Amino acid sequence: MGFQAAPAFEAGSVAAAEWPLCHVRLQDDARFPWLILIPRVEGAVELEDLGVEQRAMLMEETVRAGALVRRLGSVEKLNVGAIGNVTSQLHVHVVGRRRDDGLWPDPVWGRGPAVPYAAEARARLLEAIGRG
């Protein structure tokens, strides 16, 4: 059947790129520069479901995503997490935070309604992610 991102990702994020290991999505929330990395490994739920080389590649792609998130918006601190309580498919959130972002220092998950990007802004970000 091949790799498919869990349907829950469609509701709040947009497909942005394909990296060597991960399907990359832009979280559609203009409050934060935010990428989601989903390893294209069938049945992966936990980090232990990846091979040693895949785990190393995921770390490298997470660092790459962090550098990209810093270029997408004003960022003082990167939050990186593989929570998976809502969607069990293995995925890593890379979220840019600022002291004035409205939720600081609280976590971003489930806090207030998302503010979707305007179409033009989303297109610019997707282009930047595609280059990054």
Side-chain angles (χ1 to χ4, degrees), residues 75-130:
V75 173
E76 292 178 39
K77 178 69 177 102
L78 290 172
N79 289 179
V80 176
I83 310 300
N85 293 346
V86 174
T87 304
S88 64
Q89 183 177 32
L90 180 61
H91 61 286
V92 176
H93 296 269
V94 181
V95 185
R97 300 296 307 272
R98 297 179 327 277
R99 293 183 194 283
D100 66 348
D101 69 22
L103 290 180
W104 184 275
D106 295 335
V108 298
W109 290 274
R111 300 296 305 271
V115 178
Y117 287 103
E120 309 81 43
R122 185 182 309 106
R124 281 193 306 277
L125 290 171
L126 291 172
E127 183 178 329
I129 294 165

Side-chain angles (χ1 to χ4, degrees), residues 1 9-10 20 39 48 52 54 60 65-66 74 94 105 124 128 130:
M1 179 175 167
F9 290 110
E10 295 294 324
E48 64 197 33
V52 172
Q54 291 170 323
E60 290 304 313
S74 176
V94 181
R124 281 193 306 277

